[in-house]
Amino acid sequence: MFSLTVRDHFMIAHSFKGATFGPAQALHGATYVVDVEFLRPELDADGLVVDIGLASDVLKETLGRYNYKNLDEMAEFEGANTTTEFMAKTIFDRLAERVAAGDLGAGAAGLSRLKVTLGESHVAWASYEGALPLDGA
Amino acid sequence: MFSLTVRDHFMIAHSFKGATFGPAQALHGATYVVDVEFLRPELDADGLVVDIGLASDVLKETLGRYNYKNLDEMAEFEGANTTTEFMAKTIFDRLAERVAAGDLGAGAAGLSRLKVTLGESHVAWASYEGALPLDGA
Amino acid sequence: MFSLTVRDHFMIAHSFKGATFGPAQALHGATYVVDVEFLRPELDADGLVVDIGLASDVLKETLGRYNYKNLDEMAEFEGANTTTEFMAKTIFDRLAERVAAGDLGAGAAGLSRLKVTLGESHVAWASYEGALPLDGA
Amino acid sequence: MFSLTVRDHFMIAHSFKGATFGPAQALHGATYVVDVEFLRPELDADGLVVDIGLASDVLKETLGRYNYKNLDEMAEFEGANTTTEFMAKTIFDRLAERVAAGDLGAGAAGLSRLKVTLGESHVAWASYEGALPLDGA
Amino acid sequence: MFSLTVRDHFMIAHSFKGATFGPAQALHGATYVVDVEFLRPELDADGLVVDIGLASDVLKETLGRYNYKNLDEMAEFEGANTTTEFMAKTIFDRLAERVAAGDLGAGAAGLSRLKVTLGESHVAWASYEGALPLDGA
Amino acid sequence: MFSLTVRDHFMIAHSFKGATFGPAQALHGATYVVDVEFLRPELDADGLVVDIGLASDVLKETLGRYNYKNLDEMAEFEGANTTTEFMAKTIFDRLAERVAAGDLGAGAAGLSRLKVTLGESHVAWASYEGALPLDGA
């Protein structure tokens, strides 16, 4: 299995609901350093997993939706705890849609899996990994 | 698959038995930077893989058993070479017991796998990954 | 010159005032990974720059004042832009007070300089470095 | 599953063919930081995944074949785009041959998988992972 | 003293002249991960060392001059060994010119020093640090 | 000022004397990741701070004196606490002797300063920096 990973980041405010979260129930924030790993069994005709330029651009656009935002005020997160692991799945879903839409190039049709890791500090990170294409695609 | 990883470290002395180990047969030591990855297919009701506070506390307690020790003098390691890979499995087993005992909270019952990685330097690290719950649990 | 550095982190929400800040004028947040470097020309009687246990504890207490907070709502920051560089100076001042108060141990009287670095992402960090003891102390 | 990873690096010049590569069609170069992960279900009699000394030496020899070279001028790469993912597979193949030849020691016969990751910068890396022994071996 | 550092990278081919360089006399290449540290004694009116957006853009433009190039073929490097330390000074000089030209904003007039570090691998990096403004400016 | 840094590591056992050290008074150990920074105001005739091959070799030899050792049993450390900061100075002194002896090449006569940093974990490191040549050389 081949993989290619690209890294970027975004910075958000949010709060959590539930006694489990202790002091993190207050409004605070995080920098998330995001690693997106694209996986496939064989390389494309150019010898690539994915066009790294397109991958980096689509990642930046995807993170731009959330960058410099208060997640508590975004309709799509109403009723949810925007934990690091939850946000990893959110970024995964957005990117999977973009792959399915062809925005990472024709070669990206050969991608079989995607893994998104969000680093919240030097001592904690979370990820979501799943198959492509999306169910129902 | 979701995952959450937390990092901590411990510092030990030990020696190895066997010509394979060359100069490392002498008493020396290591800092092990420990990454523990908790995995599960679905998040719990709070949107979590595991309570990060409990996970960090249980990890620190687990490493505390070995921190600032000479492993050569611990009964549980008699006859064993406490290599980095061996110690990764040791930490895995201890943590799996704690998960099974409910010490990481009720939500942790949904954990399906655990991976423990021990970094011994900037150029070498070892890991053990396995399924939860423990066989026979 | 000797130095010892310890690392910890804190997570906050804030916003900036001024056209220079563009989209960062909105409420967002950051994880700050904090490196505190203690400097002195000679080691103390124990062969130390500073007691690393005390240094780590005092750092955690100092960051605890801001951790999981919205800096926009803290009186001490009224009228200020809590940029990364500004917060580096803020942590510096708090730690310098603790050194002067003797909270890092008697040996810490020999400290001559302090440097605080706040990492806001994998591609940006800021610091403040200055002499100890504080002017007028 | 146990694993052990060792790190080394090599520095090469090359160019790419195809409009996809944009400015990277010109002759340029890269440092590749190489992580080789050896995997196996059980440790050997010494408590090891693989002899780390032999593994490091064989890795250095393998990278030495390409280090300080212009890959465009090497016969083995004629007609290929020596992308990071392609080179990960190349290093994988070379190392798999060495394992099969017994150059990592008798204990290495128990290795079941190998993963090679090449870091090309702080924001991009690629890998190839596959089973051992080689097909047809 | 305050500082702000931003990170980017570039990828080049080159060769060295002189027996000291051994196998590096052949055409090869490198990824340089570049950290630029801007220093000043006091923050500007916005609470900044420098506008991080402008700093990142000017750094990318500066590295763009060399990115995906064979340094051996650039007139400005004729007769020079483009070592990592030499390239750190080269990037320093280019950035110092941009600061002097006002391209980092009016606030950047308060910058007093600049440090450029080029990482060539996980085990080697080089830097050049000097005062601003440029001699004769 | 120019600088070049090279990284290596060593692994030792030791214990500390004094109540300040708490549980670290027991025999334990550490991996020290060592960064040696060589500094000088001007590059040598080859465009170098120091021959990186010689620097790496001399560093490895220097660390080899302590690697895989119990520092408590070495005569040179009798009566001393071999703290991270103390060991940084020890490595500094050994390397300064090698520079003075000409073992880093004739060009190394232009070195003006040396800084040795020992990382003991992902959250703590210590350094010693001083001028070259040695007092009395």
Side-chain angles (χ1 to χ4, degrees), chain D residues 37-88:
Chain D
E37 184 178 13
F38 300 91
L39 298 106
R40 60 191 296 165
E42 302 296 338
L43 298 181
D44 72 11
D46 286 314
L48 293 172
V49 167
V50 70
D51 181 324
I52 193 172
L54 286 177
S56 299
D57 290 349
V58 167
L59 176 56
K60 192 167 285 298
E61 289 168 18
T62 301
L63 302 185
R65 179 185 180 97
Y66 307 111
N67 198 16
Y68 297 126
K69 297 285 172 61
N70 178 356
L71 302 184
D72 292 357
E73 296 180 349
M74 297 185 76
E76 69 183 275
F77 298 130
E78 199 172 333
N81 272 323
T82 54
T83 61
T84 308
E85 41 271 61
F86 177 92
M87 290 306 296

Side-chain angles (χ1 to χ4, degrees), chain D residues 2-128:
Chain D
F2 289 93
S3 83
L4 178 83
T5 306
V6 292
R7 175 171 284 189
D8 205 332
H9 74 286
F10 66 114
M11 305 176 88
I12 55 86
H14 63 168
S15 63
F16 297 130
K17 292 176 196 69
T20 300
F21 295 97
Q25 293 175 87
L27 182 67
H28 62 287
T31 305
Y32 290 124
V33 175
V34 183
D35 293 337
V36 180
E37 184 178 13
F38 300 91
L39 298 106
R40 60 191 296 165
E42 302 296 338
L43 298 181
D44 72 11
D46 286 314
L48 293 172
V49 167
V50 70
D51 181 324
I52 193 172
L54 286 177
S56 299
D57 290 349
V58 167
L59 176 56
K60 192 167 285 298
E61 289 168 18
T62 301
L63 302 185
R65 179 185 180 97
Y66 307 111
N67 198 16
Y68 297 126
K69 297 285 172 61
N70 178 356
L71 302 184
D72 292 357
E73 296 180 349
M74 297 185 76
E76 69 183 275
F77 298 130
E78 199 172 333
N81 272 323
T82 54
T83 61
T84 308
E85 41 271 61
F86 177 92
M87 290 306 296
K89 176 69 158 62
T90 298
I91 305 298
F92 174 95
D93 288 343
R94 292 277 168 204
L95 289 172
E97 289 167 1
R98 299 296 297 272
V99 172
D103 296 340
L104 280 90
L111 292 171
S112 58
R113 299 186 69 77
L114 194 62
K115 181 177 183 178
V116 176
T117 304
L118 267 61
E120 67 172 61
S121 76
H122 64 301
V123 291
W125 49 97
S127 70
Y128 182 77

Side-chain angles (χ1 to χ4, degrees), chain A:
Chain A
M1 182 69 76
F2 289 93
S3 82
L4 178 82
T5 305
V6 292
R7 175 172 285 190
D8 204 333
H9 75 286
F10 66 114
M11 306 176 87
I12 53 89
H14 63 168
S15 63
F16 298 129
K17 291 176 196 69
T20 301
F21 294 98
Q25 294 175 86
L27 182 67
H28 62 288
T31 305
Y32 290 124
V33 176
V34 183
D35 294 337
V36 180
E37 184 178 13
F38 301 91
L39 298 105
R40 60 191 297 165
E42 301 296 337
L43 298 181
D44 73 11
D46 286 314
L48 294 171
V49 168
V50 70
D51 181 324
I52 193 172
L54 286 177
S56 299
D57 290 349
V58 166
L59 176 56
K60 191 167 287 296
E61 290 167 18
T62 301
L63 302 185
R65 181 184 179 97
Y66 308 111
N67 199 18
Y68 297 125
K69 296 285 172 62
N70 178 356
L71 303 183
D72 292 357
E73 297 181 348
M74 297 185 77
E76 70 184 275
F77 298 130
E78 198 172 335
N81 272 323
T82 54
T83 60
T84 309
E85 40 271 62
F86 177 92
M87 290 305 296
K89 176 68 158 60
T90 298
I91 304 298
F92 174 95
D93 288 342
R94 293 276 168 203
L95 289 172
E97 289 167 2
R98 298 296 297 273
V99 171
D103 296 340
L104 279 90
L111 292 171
S112 58
R113 298 186 69 77
L114 194 61
K115 181 177 182 178
V116 175
T117 303
L118 267 61
E120 67 173 60
S121 77
H122 65 302
V123 290
W125 50 98
S127 69
Y128 182 77
E129 179 178 359
L132 295 175
L134 291 171
D135 291 349

Side-chain angles (χ1 to χ4, degrees), chain A residues 17-18 20-21 81 83 85-86 89 115 120 122-130, chain B residues 1-8 35 37 41 43 45-52:
Chain A
K17 291 176 196 69
T20 301
F21 294 98
N81 272 323
T83 60
E85 40 271 62
F86 177 92
K89 176 68 158 60
K115 181 177 182 178
E120 67 173 60
H122 65 302
V123 290
W125 50 98
S127 69
Y128 182 77
E129 179 178 359
Chain B
M1 182 69 76
F2 288 92
S3 82
L4 178 82
T5 305
V6 291
R7 175 171 284 190
D8 204 332
D35 294 337
E37 183 178 14
L43 298 181
D46 286 314
L48 294 172
V49 168
V50 70
D51 181 324
I52 194 172

Side-chain angles (χ1 to χ4, degrees), chain F residues 24-93:
Chain F
Q25 294 176 85
L27 183 67
H28 63 288
T31 305
Y32 290 124
V33 176
V34 183
D35 294 337
V36 180
E37 183 178 13
F38 300 91
L39 298 105
R40 60 190 297 163
E42 302 295 338
L43 298 181
D44 73 10
D46 286 315
L48 294 172
V49 167
V50 69
D51 181 323
I52 193 171
L54 286 177
S56 300
D57 290 349
V58 166
L59 176 57
K60 192 168 284 299
E61 289 167 18
T62 300
L63 302 184
R65 180 184 179 98
Y66 307 111
N67 199 16
Y68 297 126
K69 296 286 171 60
N70 178 357
L71 302 184
D72 292 357
E73 296 181 348
M74 297 185 77
E76 68 183 275
F77 298 130
E78 198 172 335
N81 272 323
T82 54
T83 60
T84 309
E85 41 271 64
F86 177 92
M87 290 306 295
K89 176 68 159 60
T90 299
I91 304 299
F92 174 95
D93 288 342

Side-chain angles (χ1 to χ4, degrees), chain B residues 1-136:
Chain B
M1 182 69 76
F2 288 92
S3 82
L4 178 82
T5 305
V6 291
R7 175 171 284 190
D8 204 332
H9 75 285
F10 66 115
M11 306 176 87
I12 55 86
H14 62 168
S15 63
F16 298 129
K17 292 176 196 68
T20 300
F21 295 97
Q25 294 175 87
L27 183 67
H28 62 288
T31 305
Y32 290 124
V33 176
V34 183
D35 294 337
V36 180
E37 183 178 14
F38 300 90
L39 298 105
R40 59 190 297 165
E42 302 295 337
L43 298 181
D44 73 11
D46 286 314
L48 294 172
V49 168
V50 70
D51 181 324
I52 194 172
L54 286 177
S56 299
D57 289 349
V58 167
L59 176 56
K60 191 167 287 296
E61 289 168 17
T62 301
L63 302 185
R65 181 184 179 96
Y66 307 110
N67 198 18
Y68 297 125
K69 296 285 172 62
N70 177 357
L71 302 183
D72 292 358
E73 296 181 349
M74 296 185 77
E76 70 183 275
F77 297 131
E78 198 173 335
N81 272 323
T82 54
T83 61
T84 308
E85 41 271 62
F86 177 92
M87 290 306 296
K89 176 69 157 62
T90 299
I91 305 299
F92 174 95
D93 288 343
R94 292 276 169 203
L95 289 172
E97 290 167 1
R98 299 296 298 271
V99 172
D103 296 340
L104 281 89
L111 293 170
S112 58
R113 299 186 69 77
L114 194 61
K115 182 177 182 178
V116 176
T117 303
L118 267 60
E120 68 173 59
S121 76
H122 64 302
V123 291
W125 49 97
S127 69
Y128 182 78
E129 178 178 0
L132 295 174
L134 289 172
D135 291 349

Side-chain angles (χ1 to χ4, degrees), chain C residues 1-8 35 37 41 43 45-52, chain F residues 17-18 20-21 81 83 85-86 89 115 120 122-130:
Chain C
M1 182 69 77
F2 289 93
S3 82
L4 178 82
T5 305
V6 292
R7 175 171 285 189
D8 204 333
D35 293 337
E37 184 178 14
L43 298 180
D46 286 315
L48 294 172
V49 167
V50 69
D51 181 324
I52 194 172
Chain F
K17 291 175 198 68
T20 301
F21 295 98
N81 272 323
T83 60
E85 41 271 64
F86 177 92
K89 176 68 159 60
K115 181 177 182 178
E120 69 172 60
H122 64 302
V123 290
W125 50 98
S127 69
Y128 182 77
E129 179 178 359

